[in-house]
Amino acid sequence: MIRDYHAGYYTGRQSSAMAVSANRWRLGIGRTIATGLGSIDVLGRTICLMVATTLVLGVASTFWVGRQIDRTLAEIGASQKLLGELHESNGEILSLRDSMLSREQMVQQAEALGLYPPTEDQIRKM
């Protein structure tokens, strides 16, 4: 067995076996590491590190996802505004097309170009 020298540094009036057991944490099977607060099992220290890392990553990813959601909502708002403007211009273009296709408008444009309707003898029926 390996001798434990930790008990030799304890200044209390307890026996060395009691001092070692009072300052040592056993969280699982494995070696122990001496720290300022006592001994922590290697497995326990690893678990604590994993929990802390998980918490930090969880908080950071939550902030990142929130920021991405805000950006996406801003893009959606800008797209909705653009869509409204496009619908408005589309309505104007459709009304202009309908007015250009009306018979009255075609007659006015033909007269402006110097065209006239055909006479009865120019029309042939089949």
Side-chain angles (χ1 to χ4, degrees):
M1 284 295 265
I2 297 175
R3 187 169 175 191
D4 187 11
Y5 292 101
H6 185 274
Y9 296 108
Y10 185 75
T11 59
R13 295 184 56 111
Q14 298 174 348
S15 69
S16 63
M18 288 177 65
V20 170
S21 64
N23 290 331
R24 183 166 301 192
W25 294 355
R26 286 259 180 215
L27 299 176
I29 300 172
R31 300 181 303 151
T32 58
I33 298 173
T35 63
L37 299 174
S39 299
I40 298 176
D41 190 69
V42 173
L43 180 63
R45 192 169 189 178
T46 304
I47 290 173
C48 290
L49 181 64
M50 288 173 54
V51 167
T53 304
T54 304
L55 286 174
V56 168
L57 289 176
V59 169
S61 65
T62 300
F63 283 125
W64 180 77
V65 167
R67 189 168 172 97
Q68 293 298 322
I69 288 172
D70 286 341
R71 285 183 183 172
T72 305
L73 289 175
E75 288 178 13
I76 289 172
S79 297
Q80 289 291 332
K81 183 179 177 185
L82 179 63
L83 181 65
E85 293 172 359
L86 289 175
H87 276 299
E88 183 180 322
S89 66
N90 188 31
E92 293 172 2
I93 291 171
L94 287 176
S95 66
L96 179 63
R97 182 197 66 181
D98 292 339
S99 70
M100 289 176 71
L101 291 177
S102 69
R103 182 161 183 82
E104 297 83 25
Q105 186 70 21
M106 285 186 192
V107 170
Q108 287 177 358
Q109 289 178 359
E111 289 174 356
L113 292 173
L115 301 174
Y116 55 90
T119 61
E120 287 296 323
D121 59 337
Q122 291 177 333
I123 299 174
R124 294 187 186 168
K125 296 182 182 177
M126 298 206 172

